[in-house]
Amino acid sequence: GIGSKGPYPKGSALANAVRGSGVISASGGISGFNLFDKLTDAIASTKNPSDLEYLKSKFQENVFPDKLVEEMPFLNETEFANSPGVMGPFIYDAAILMGLAACSAKNSSAYFDGETHFAHMQKTSFAGASGTIVLDNVTGTRTAESAIFTLHNLVVDDQGSEEGNSVMYKAVESRLFRNGEWETVADFVFNDGTTNVSKDLPPLVVDLNLCSFGFRATGLTICAIIILLSFGFAGWTVYKRETHVIKASQPIFLLIICAGSAILGASIVPLSIDQGSASQQMGDIACQITPWFVFIGFVVIFSALFTKTHRINKLFSNPSFKRIKVTALDVAKPMIALVTVNILVLSLWTAFAPLSQTTVVISTDTFGRATETFSECSSENPIPYFTTLTVVDLGTLAFSAYKAYRSRNISTEFAESESIFMAITLILLVSIMGIPILIIASENADAYFFVFTGLIVTTCCAVLLLIFIPKIQNGDAKPSTESIRRSSISETWDIGGIQILNSPQQQEELREENKRLKKLLQAANLREMMDLVSSDDDDDNSHAGHD
């Protein structure tokens, strides 16, 4: 029969669970279906003395050789041949399918093997007792749409449960699936005894760990402040480009620092996008562009600082008494190389292992449904790309810190060496301490966003304020000859009084100082000659007195 009808102990958990359940099973056909009714009538017609005698002999010969005819099952039952049963129509249709396929194969060739027979079976379709027979061309199994399925509803059998402490259930046909659609045969009675569809599972409440509105608004405000500061300092640099303070600091590198800060600060925008504020497609795009903003902005900032420090060291590490010329291209080569490496690695990362926004399940309920999740940017294998970028950038940053330390005592009229050293050191410390904290906080959206934003605002504001505030304070200050001489004659570098010509203004001042020194030298030589003449006269007078 359909399902397990009992008996079950009344009030037991099993009895309560079975009540109102349903069982889906394949059906060989239903009464009223033309071909099924014909098969039923044909089977019933075999219930005559002649056919029964023939069936009994075959059963005894092939199925039950050790049993007497009277002991054989089925044949002596009163219900024998009244119905084809569940499997009868399927067996009948299978036999017809094999026969039709054999005829089809025989038409193609006088002899055929099993594979040829099977191939013709896959192509054969006909109306059978169990429905339209259609086989899948790949698997060879019957397509579900061509079969007939029934849904039986297990309800309490009042007659079978009248006596004792047990309960019985009966299967009532409720739904019929044929021609690819479900048909209603009778109302389905659920566990509560009604036909109302009940919620099979409790309501699901999922904690998505989204970034809160307050944190997102604060982060975007910080992003706006960083960008405004960057554009503001860039505008001030252009406006003051003719002043000595800006010329001595190379305006192009100051503008590059502003651009890097703006790019790094803009990374907060895609970082604030999650599955609660945008679609999956927008989340994937945000994941892919965030590393571009972070790494490009970061490398532009510290490579500009490294380039300025490299320029100072190249000028002041000249042990000879020769004039040297250092062009912007000469010192910009390291920055170009670093930016190129970052762009190349990021391009490979985006092309071969693009980041996408994925949902990570933290906990589930007893039904296996996710109750707490968080979204993260992940890809199949991001480690090689991330490691390469981190090693290259942090390694160069550490080397920049060493270079800045060496040049920290050089006058700020040349390249604000002390401020550069402080900025690079701060970036290095923030990177070393912030990255582990960022990894720890990755499962909490608010904490992760807060730490990431903190790292960005600390880096950008520290560099901008340390580099530009001293310049704004100096304003239009003019350089003095003494300050140039102190910057040029450094005991730290042992350059022996060499004066580096690194700006037209300093060259002009050096020429003026040379003229002054020449005059002093001429005056000194004149005094020395007069002293020699005076000494000769005294010697002559002395010799004359002895004579």
Side-chain angles (χ1 to χ4, degrees):
I2 302 298
S4 180
K5 302 178 183 178
Y8 304 103
K10 284 185 177 181
S12 65
L14 184 57
N16 293 334
V18 171
R19 183 178 65 244
S21 61
V23 179
I24 297 178
S25 60
S27 175
I30 56 174
S31 179
F33 186 56
N34 183 34
L35 295 178
F36 177 80
D37 290 341
K38 287 184 176 181
L39 177 62
T40 302
D41 294 339
I43 292 176
S45 66
T46 62
K47 199 173 183 179
N48 59 76
S50 176
D51 289 336
L52 286 176
E53 188 66 28
Y54 174 78
L55 291 174
K56 288 178 181 179
S57 64
K58 292 301 180 182
F59 266 76
Q60 191 174 33
E61 178 182 349
N62 300 300
V63 182
F64 304 109
D66 299 329
K67 291 182 177 295
L68 299 175
V69 174
E70 293 77 9
E71 297 175 348
M72 293 181 187
F74 310 117
L75 294 181
N76 294 318
E77 294 182 5
T78 57
E79 294 183 359
F80 172 73
N82 290 341
S83 171
V86 176
M87 301 302 299
F90 293 113
I91 296 174
Y92 175 80
D93 288 339
I96 297 298
L97 174 64
M98 295 177 65
L100 293 175
C103 293
S104 176
K106 182 66 171 60
N107 293 332
S108 302
S109 175
Y111 301 96
F112 58 88
D113 55 15
E115 291 185 0
T116 304
H117 190 196
F118 179 70
H120 282 271
M121 288 176 62
Q122 289 179 292
K123 299 176 182 178
T124 302
S125 176
F126 65 98
S130 60
T132 302
I133 311 300
V134 180
L135 301 188
D136 187 276
N137 290 329
V138 178
T139 63
T141 59
R142 185 173 178 177
T143 59
E145 292 78 9
S146 68
I148 299 175
F149 295 91
T150 56
L151 171 63
H152 287 81
N153 184 200
L154 296 182
V155 298
V156 176
D157 185 357
D158 295 331
Q159 294 182 353
S161 306
E162 291 180 353
E163 300 179 357
N165 295 322
S166 62
V167 59
M168 292 288 294
Y169 293 95
K170 61 181 178 180
V172 178
E173 187 175 342
S174 176
R175 299 290 189 275
L176 174 67
F177 180 85
R178 62 178 175 181
N179 299 324
E181 296 181 353
W182 284 99
E183 302 174 8
T184 301
V185 178
D187 291 335
F188 193 96
V189 180
F190 293 93
N191 186 270
D192 58 359
T194 67
T195 59
N196 299 324
V197 179
S198 60
K199 296 181 180 179
D200 54 348
L201 294 176
L204 180 63
V205 179
V206 182
D207 182 6
L208 300 178
N209 278 311
L210 301 176
C211 184
S212 62
F213 175 79
F215 278 94
R216 183 180 287 109
T218 302
L220 294 176
T221 302
I222 292 174
C223 171
I225 292 174
I226 293 173
I227 294 176
L228 289 175
L229 282 176
S230 301
F231 278 94
F233 286 132
W236 180 83
T237 300
V238 174
Y239 180 72
K240 294 287 186 178
R241 62 186 180 277
E242 297 298 331
T243 61
H244 170 70
V245 174
I246 299 301
K247 285 184 176 180
S249 300
Q250 299 87 41
I252 183 62
F253 294 123
L254 295 179
L255 293 176
I256 290 174
I257 291 174
C258 292
S261 298
I263 294 172
L264 183 58
S267 64
I268 297 177
V269 176
L271 186 67
S272 65
I273 297 176
D274 54 25
Q275 58 183 342
S277 59
S279 64
Q280 179 65 39
Q281 183 179 7
M282 287 298 299
D284 292 342
I285 295 174
C287 286
Q288 293 173 17
I289 65 176
T290 298
W292 282 87
F293 279 102
V294 173
F295 282 103
I296 296 300
F298 182 78
V299 76
V300 167
I301 291 175
F302 84 77
S303 63
L305 296 177
F306 170 75
T307 299
K308 288 169 66 64
T309 305
H310 176 63
R311 186 173 192 269
I312 298 170
N313 286 324
K314 192 168 183 178
L315 290 171
F316 282 86
S317 297
N318 179 36
S320 64
F321 290 89
K322 297 180 180 180
R323 293 184 178 183
I324 61 174
K325 182 179 180 180
V326 181
T327 65
L329 180 61
D330 292 333
V331 294
K333 290 178 180 178
M335 180 176 67
I336 295 173
L338 284 171
V339 174
T340 301
V341 170
N342 276 260
I343 292 176
L344 177 61
V345 176
L346 286 169
S347 299
L348 294 174
W349 190 356
T350 304
F352 296 105
L355 291 170
S356 60
Q357 190 176 76
T358 58
T359 300
V360 179
V361 177
I362 300 177
S363 61
T364 59
D365 59 10
T366 55
F367 301 99
R369 299 179 299 174
T371 56
E372 184 177 3
T373 64
F374 74 94
S375 60
E376 66 175 5
C377 295
S378 62
S379 64
E380 292 183 0
N381 190 20
I383 296 178
Y385 308 98
F386 180 79
T387 303
T388 301
L389 291 170
T390 303
V391 170
V392 171
D393 292 350
L394 290 185
T396 308
L397 182 60
F399 182 70
S400 303
Y402 166 72
K403 286 286 189 180
Y405 175 78
R406 289 188 58 194
S407 62
R408 69 193 185 281
N409 292 324
I410 299 176
S411 171
T412 56
E413 283 194 349
F414 281 97
E416 66 277 352
S417 305
E418 186 177 357
S419 297
I420 294 177
F421 171 67
M422 293 175 60
I424 292 179
T425 303
L426 184 59
I427 294 175
L428 183 61
L429 292 175
V430 168
S431 301
I432 294 175
M433 297 179 62
I435 292 177
I437 298 176
L438 200 62
I439 296 174
I440 295 173
S442 60
E443 293 188 3
N444 186 289
D446 285 341
Y448 183 82
F449 186 73
F450 175 79
V451 174
F452 208 121
T453 304
L455 294 177
I456 293 173
V457 69
T458 301
T459 300
C460 294
C461 289
V463 172
L464 291 173
L465 297 179
L466 286 172
I467 296 299
F468 284 94
I469 292 301
K471 292 175 174 37
I472 295 175
Q473 292 175 342
N474 290 332
D476 299 324
K478 300 294 183 181
S480 63
T481 302
E482 180 65 19
S483 65
I484 296 176
R485 186 172 64 82
R486 287 199 306 268
S487 300
S488 306
I489 307 173
S490 173
E491 296 179 358
T492 304
W493 305 111
D494 296 326
I495 59 178
I498 186 172
Q499 185 148 359
I500 308 300
L501 306 179
N502 64 340
S503 71
Q505 184 175 2
Q506 291 172 353
Q507 294 176 11
E508 180 64 28
E509 291 172 351
L510 180 59
R511 282 193 288 269
E512 294 296 328
E513 186 175 359
N514 285 339
K515 292 179 181 179
R516 184 177 63 82
L517 290 175
K518 286 181 180 180
K519 291 180 181 180
L520 292 176
L521 182 59
Q522 291 174 357
N525 290 336
L526 180 60
R527 284 196 300 271
E528 184 177 357
M529 293 175 63
M530 293 179 64
D531 290 340
L532 289 174
V533 171
S534 176
S535 175
D536 291 340
D537 291 341
D538 291 341
D539 290 340
D540 291 340
N541 293 333
S542 175
H543 289 303
H546 287 296
D547 293 340

